Amino acid sequence: MIRKLNSPIFNIFGSTIRRRMMGSQPASPLHFGPFEVTSQVFFTTPYSFALVNLKPLLPGHVLVCPKKPHHRLTELTAPELTDLFQAVQTVQRMLARYYFSHAWFEKHGHDTATADGTPTAGSFNIAIQDGQEAGQTVDHLHVHVIPRIRGETAKEEAGPGDQIYEWMAAEDGNVGGALWDREIKKLRLQLGNRPEPGGGFPSIEDSERHPRTAEVMEAEAEEYRIVLEQMGEE
């Protein structure tokens, strides 16, 4: 069974390393569609950035986006396209080093025989919902990168079909809806609920899965920056 985990991010690599640009926080604000997501960003390149997810489907589910708010894959220039998928590869290697490592497997009670921190020590879903008809909910091209951890979040059995795509097409995968909900909550904190005769607004949140706090996402982004910095020093 694929387990959706809401476990804290474990610092399994340590934090006493020198910071480098690839793993540092952005110097200027970054937007994902209309949403400001700078604190969620853990990796930037000349044309792209990667951010942690407000409502990840599985541990390590992150997004990689072009800096320009292109709507569709075919809108990217050749340099932007190359940069985007090179960024995806780098993020894959970072996530593998984090989630497919001996330390992670040992921490979670899995067989460590193949846990060498490389992409082949597990698997990935790499997905683009290119347009609204394909399920895109933020009008800004983005690549989903989802590690599949052996013994933890891997497919239940070999063969066609994967529950992750059902989640991605449902409310679970509604990235834009989750970000919209967050902005509405911010406004409510500032202004309070709109006055309504006879009662307030009904809850707009998913009853089973709730968006993570900014602190949790920032902690995860920092962990990923640390791993990227280590990769840059080797």
Side-chain angles (χ1 to χ4, degrees):
M1 179 180 179
I2 302 172
R3 291 180 291 154
K4 296 184 186 179
L5 303 181
N6 291 315
S7 58
I9 297 299
F10 297 98
N11 185 348
I12 57 178
F13 297 106
S15 59
T16 57
I17 57 178
R18 184 164 58 90
R19 303 205 172 281
R20 296 199 173 196
M21 285 300 292
M22 70 181 295
S24 60
Q25 285 189 325
S28 57
L30 288 170
H31 288 79
F32 176 40
F35 307 106
E36 200 270 311
V37 294
T38 310
S39 65
Q40 295 170 234
V41 173
F42 60 87
F43 177 57
T44 61
T45 68
Y47 296 106
S48 309
F49 65 92
L51 69 153
V52 299
N53 207 336
L54 182 62
K55 291 177 70 175
L57 295 175
L58 295 173
H61 177 190
V62 301
L63 307 175
V64 183
C65 314
K67 286 183 176 177
K68 286 187 177 181
H70 295 298
H71 299 168
R72 304 296 293 269
L73 186 64
T74 49
E75 295 175 11
L76 271 64
T77 65
E80 287 174 322
L81 186 65
T82 300
D83 184 89
L84 180 71
F85 282 98
Q86 286 180 336
V88 168
Q89 287 185 326
T90 298
V91 168
Q92 277 189 274
R93 294 187 183 101
M94 181 279 295
L95 292 171
R97 185 173 177 125
Y98 195 101
Y99 290 101
F100 304 164
S101 67
H102 186 280
W104 178 275
F105 275 45
E106 187 174 57
K107 179 82 175 181
H108 292 80
H110 304 314
D111 183 2
T112 60
T114 61
D116 60 5
T118 65
T120 56
S123 297
F124 287 89
N125 291 100
I126 309 294
I128 297 176
Q129 293 164 295
D130 194 27
Q132 291 184 0
E133 289 80 5
Q136 185 185 47
T137 58
V138 177
D139 208 11
H140 185 156
L141 177 71
H142 52 283
V143 183
H144 296 263
V145 183
I146 309 173
R148 307 301 291 270
I149 307 166
R150 288 177 186 164
E152 193 165 316
T153 62
K155 278 184 59 179
E156 295 181 16
E157 53 188 49
D162 188 348
Q163 191 175 4
I164 198 76
Y165 296 111
E166 297 176 15
W167 292 341
M168 193 174 292
E171 180 59 30
D172 284 346
N174 187 356
V175 176
L179 289 166
W180 185 89
D181 291 348
R182 182 179 69 179
E183 296 305 309
I184 292 297
K185 278 190 170 182
K186 287 180 182 178
L187 286 173
R188 285 178 176 172
L189 287 173
Q190 294 174 13
L191 305 176
N193 289 342
R194 179 179 180 273
E196 291 285 349
F201 288 147
S203 174
I204 58 175
E205 294 299 346
D206 184 299
S207 62
E208 296 181 358
R209 297 173 61 252
H210 298 283
R212 302 185 296 171
T213 65
E215 291 76 16
V216 168
M217 291 189 293
E218 288 169 13
E220 180 180 358
E222 179 62 18
E223 291 295 324
Y224 294 160
R225 293 184 196 113
I226 289 170
V227 182
L228 285 163
E229 288 162 355
Q230 284 190 318
M231 290 166 61
E233 292 183 353
E234 293 180 350

